[in-house]
Amino acid sequence: MENSRSSTPEAPPQDLWSSILDSVSSSRSTPSKQILLLGQPSTGKSTLAAALLQKPIADEQKEDQRVDFALGYDFADVRDEADEDTLARLSVYTVPSASPAYTALLPHFLPPRTAIPHTLVMIVLDWTKPWTFVEELQAWLQWVEIWARGDGARELEIVREESRERLQALLQHYAEPTSDPLPTSNSTLSSTLLPLGPGSFTHNSAGIPIIVACTKADLIDEGNDMAAGASGMGSMVKGKGGDWEERTDGVMQVLRTVCLKYGASLFYTTPIPATLQVLRQHALHLLFAPPAPAPGMTGNEAPAPVRNIFPFQHKPNTLDRDRVVVPAGWDSWGKITVMRDGFDAKMWGEAWEKDLEPDNFPGEAGAKKLFAAFVPDQGVKPQPLPPFNSPTPEQAFLAKNYDENAKKPDRDPRGAFRNPADLAGASAGIVGPMGSSSFNLPTVERALSEMEVGIGGGASAGSQPTGEAAAAARNRLAARTTSGAARPGPLGASTNAPVGRPPVSPALNTPSPVNGPSQHEVLQNFFQSLLNTRDRGGGAAGPSSGANAGAPSTGSPTGKVNGNGEEGQGS
């Protein structure tokens, strides 16, 4: 027994106060909240993200050089007004577009079971494209419903129900900020809650806080006559007038009607920091909304609502088009209708239901068609594609032209080859055979041989022709020459041709006259004149006279005639 007990009491911890502070710090850890920015490209999401996190936007303004990620993320600490304590950590997730390839990533980073109580959804619309408002709202709000539904587990259903009760309590407890002092007792206010009006909070089953932010609202009042789509509203932004005010007011009424159905807020923002700061304050106010009071307490037992650490003190504003503020819980069908006569909020609410459930309303016009008729699409249309050009196969194209040319003899280039006599009437420039079939290589070769025999220069010493044979050849050439042609001199040279210049040959493609020389003779005379020119150019004077040229040779194999016509003895 004595050994079982310690003789001395257990020593206290050395750092007792540190352990107590650590336990309190862990129990009061910094809460984490997140905002999910949903919008199409170039709608101003980067500007809103920088304003929500209170970070500089110098780099974000370069829209052309900015690179969108599949899922953008950034965070910052939210501090109190004195900038002393950190109240929460705010994260901002950005989706580049509504493509399923991007939205499918969100459930992995924001699982609905743990993210719904701490998430606010901000849908960004661009006032430079107002005709897309209803279509984009339907796409994003339907996705939010699908994301919040999750896998349908029991734990998720409990979270959805608690979130819906909290948002409903926020809508019912909304009170417009006033400068009057608060009443001394809140018991009466907390026990007399009025039900929500018609068309209010009929959707958004998970109770997710939603803000619809319409960016670039400063372009609504642009008075310049710009091209359609340049300033956004196109023909709607052409100065302040009746039609301009009617349409812009009508767009606001449609947006307010849709936001009322989801318990959402509506804000118009501009690059002015004041409008962005108001949006940030309201977003924090919705994120830190207190939970709904416990049911079953009535009368004096009902506790006062828990105070929100981020109160929203700005009054609603629907008159200034560049800074519209419609907080959740303030709007109603009556306030929407008063803004402009002739607007039927109930009809637009029913048209919205027709788009969400088209099978239940076959053939009936929904909100998309009504809004398209009210605000026509004035965006830049892409150029239509040119019609498809199916080229004709190469063989079919050639066969078609072959058949056409075969029917026209003058179009067939082979006709000149088939009938050379047709070249007589052909125009100059047609490439084809010569007019006579006698101009072939064997004929030309034979003519050259005869001329060589007549000249006596082509044979060797052993086969050199005699003087009588050369004279006979020259006589035949002289006999074939007519009076119209140039008469050849010695060795067939023309006596009328200037010295040092070859005689001009006659046209080869001109038909011969009836009594003139044949084309064979013309060609022979032409080649003969070329040979005479070659002899003159080489310095050989040729025979001095016809008698010497026709004198018989001495028969000596070595006998030759010198340049003066005298016979010399060979070496």
Side-chain angles (χ1 to χ4, degrees), residues 36 41 56 101 107 109 113 127 216 313 332 340 375 412 447 478 525 561:
L36 182 58
F109 295 91
R113 185 179 304 178
W127 255 115
K216 307 176 186 178
Q313 301 297 334
S332 63
R340 183 176 65 93
V375 183
D412 189 0
N525 294 335
V561 180

Side-chain angles (χ1 to χ4, degrees), residues 319-337:
L319 300 179
D320 299 330
R321 302 179 188 276
D322 57 344
R323 54 185 67 193
V324 171
V325 176
V326 182
W330 173 82
D331 214 353
S332 63
W333 276 3
K335 296 177 182 178
I336 296 174
T337 307

Side-chain angles (χ1 to χ4, degrees), residues 333-347:
W333 276 3
K335 296 177 182 178
I336 296 174
T337 307
V338 168
M339 184 178 181
R340 183 176 65 93
D341 296 336
F343 183 82
D344 190 352
K346 182 179 180 180
M347 184 269 296

Side-chain angles (χ1 to χ4, degrees), residues 6-235:
S6 175
S7 59
T8 57
E10 184 178 356
Q14 296 294 330
D15 198 355
L16 179 60
W17 288 108
S18 297
S19 60
I20 294 175
L21 292 176
D22 291 341
S23 61
V24 173
S25 177
S26 60
S27 61
R28 298 180 58 185
S29 59
T30 302
S32 297
K33 302 293 181 179
Q34 53 253 3
I35 297 177
L36 182 58
L37 275 176
L38 305 177
Q40 296 295 339
S42 301
T43 55
K45 299 188 298 295
S46 58
T47 303
L48 294 182
L52 293 172
L53 299 175
Q54 290 187 337
K55 292 187 175 181
I57 60 175
D59 296 335
E60 301 292 342
Q61 291 178 350
K62 301 177 181 180
E63 294 289 341
D64 297 338
Q65 302 178 2
R66 185 173 54 84
V67 178
D68 278 340
F69 297 96
L71 182 63
Y73 173 77
D74 201 355
F75 72 95
D77 292 335
V78 180
R79 309 181 71 86
D80 57 0
E81 295 180 357
D83 198 14
E84 295 180 354
D85 298 332
T86 300
L87 302 180
R89 171 163 292 181
L90 182 63
S91 302
V92 176
Y93 293 86
T94 306
V95 180
S97 70
S99 174
Y102 301 126
T103 56
L105 300 174
L106 290 174
H108 299 281
F109 295 91
L110 295 174
R113 185 179 304 178
T114 58
I116 285 179
H118 310 287
T119 303
L120 178 141
V121 174
M122 186 176 294
I123 301 175
V124 185
L125 303 178
D126 188 358
W127 255 115
T128 60
K129 300 176 182 179
W131 49 85
T132 63
F133 282 177
V134 171
E135 183 178 359
E136 292 183 8
L137 271 179
Q138 286 189 3
W140 288 121
L141 291 174
Q142 286 180 345
W143 178 86
V144 171
E145 289 284 352
I146 297 174
W147 170 73
R149 194 177 302 124
D151 56 358
R154 176 60 181 169
E155 295 81 2
L156 180 58
E157 291 298 328
I158 296 175
V159 172
R160 287 161 51 90
E161 186 65 26
E162 293 176 354
S163 179
R164 182 175 177 83
E165 291 176 357
R166 183 184 63 173
L167 182 58
Q168 183 173 350
L170 177 68
L171 299 177
Q172 291 178 331
H173 285 89
Y174 175 81
E176 187 174 344
T178 178
S179 58
D180 298 337
L182 295 175
T184 57
S185 176
N186 293 332
S187 60
T188 305
L189 295 176
S190 60
S191 60
T192 57
L193 293 178
L194 298 177
L196 297 176
S200 178
F201 200 33
T202 58
H203 293 64
N204 192 6
S205 59
I208 300 175
I210 300 175
I211 298 178
V212 177
C214 299
T215 60
K216 307 176 186 178
D218 53 327
L219 298 179
I220 303 177
D221 293 329
E222 193 71 33
N224 297 330
D225 187 5
M226 298 183 181
S231 65
M233 297 291 288
S235 61

